[in-house]
Amino acid sequence: MKGKLAIIVPVRNGGTLLHTTVHSCGLSAISGAEAEVLVFDNCSEDRATDGLPPTVGRDIPVRVIHNDRDFGRVGNWNRGVQLARERGFEFATFLFVGDTWVEGDTAAKLLDLMRTSGSDLGLAQYLTIDESGRILRNSARISFTGATSVLPAQALLHAMMRRGHLPITPLQANIYRLRADNRPEFDERRPLTTDLDATLEYVAHDSCSIALIAQPLCAWLARKGRVFCTSG
């Protein structure tokens, strides 16, 4: 699994949106030699995982893991990271039900950049879309010169502290190296901000470096009552 990406899809009663999310991974240029989709079914009651294909796109395997108990929303994220690490994946990213990968080569390019540069964290742009698929926003997150860039995490941390803005979420637009320090790790006691907190703690590692790509990786589905934090 060296160099391979786990696309972690946590779900509980995802309905048809789960299928949309999983199938979107097949729109990327990434292949089954580089990535697998791992669906973590947290005791769903709607049989949403029934009928998921064994592969999508360029032979990307789709594997469903049925939890034997309810780990909770954040607990299921940690379950995904833990099992991906145990199975030998070197990298991990998240897709939540309803969110989708954008068609194209972003994932393949960002993963290759992380491999060649030794970066720990990859940050891509992302789209925000409504339920009809209309683009509401294209978020660049971080401005830089060129199509890609690699920088020390400390440089980004200092810039974020000066500006009071932390453009390091949502998780779906990030790729994490599964490091020996067991990060990223999400705190169930802080469910509203743990994605932001865990990424900030991850970036604060002394030797961390960050790969940036100026094209969107995913589309975040805006639905009533759904929010995420970008600053804190």
Side-chain angles (χ1 to χ4, degrees):
M1 293 290 188
K2 183 173 175 57
K4 200 165 186 179
L5 172 68
I7 308 165
I8 298 169
V9 183
V11 62
R12 181 179 173 88
N13 299 332
T16 58
L17 285 177
L18 172 64
H19 289 251
T20 300
T21 295
V22 169
H23 279 280
S24 77
C25 298
L27 300 176
S28 73
I30 210 163
S31 71
E34 300 170 286
E36 293 184 14
V37 178
L38 304 180
V39 178
F40 287 84
D41 178 22
N42 200 33
C43 302
S44 295
E45 300 165 344
D46 66 350
R47 304 180 66 89
T49 59
D50 290 0
L52 286 175
T55 63
V56 291
R58 298 176 60 194
D59 297 321
I60 301 172
V62 177
R63 309 194 192 281
V64 179
I65 296 92
H66 296 282
N67 295 343
D68 58 4
R69 62 181 177 86
D70 184 351
F71 284 87
R73 182 177 67 94
V74 176
N76 201 24
W77 302 358
N78 285 323
R79 166 90 168 131
V81 172
Q82 177 187 12
L83 194 141
R85 184 178 283 112
E86 290 174 358
R87 293 193 174 185
F89 287 90
E90 188 170 351
F91 301 97
T93 189
F94 286 85
L95 265 183
F96 298 119
V97 170
D99 298 333
T100 50
W101 268 9
V102 174
E103 184 174 1
D105 59 1
T106 306
K109 283 184 175 178
L110 183 55
L111 194 59
D112 183 62
L113 178 61
M114 293 181 71
R115 290 191 190 114
T116 56
S117 66
S119 297
D120 295 85
L121 179 66
L123 301 180
Q125 296 181 4
Y126 68 95
L127 308 176
T128 300
I129 62 171
D130 64 18
E131 293 183 280
S132 69
R134 181 170 61 98
I135 296 174
L136 304 176
R137 180 187 178 202
N138 186 346
S139 174
R141 307 177 85 185
I142 300 167
S143 297
F144 58 93
T145 302
T148 64
S149 183
V150 177
L151 75 161
Q154 292 296 320
L156 179 59
L157 280 170
H158 289 311
M160 291 192 296
M161 293 301 104
R162 286 198 305 271
R163 290 166 173 79
H165 182 59
L166 309 179
I168 52 177
T169 53
L171 300 177
Q172 303 93 305
N174 300 347
I175 295 179
Y176 299 84
R177 184 183 297 274
L178 298 177
R179 296 192 313 225
D181 62 2
N182 290 325
R183 297 195 187 280
E185 185 174 22
F186 304 97
D187 191 339
E188 298 174 58
R189 298 168 299 177
R190 306 195 302 263
L192 295 180
T193 62
T194 188
D195 52 349
L196 179 65
D197 297 340
T199 305
L200 188 60
E201 290 161 1
Y202 184 96
V203 170
H205 190 277
D206 288 343
S207 61
C208 182
S209 62
I210 299 174
L212 307 172
I213 188 166
Q215 59 190 77
L217 172 61
C218 68
W220 189 89
L221 179 63
R223 289 183 285 167
K224 186 177 180 180
R226 189 182 188 205
V227 298
F228 68 84
C229 296
T230 58
S231 298

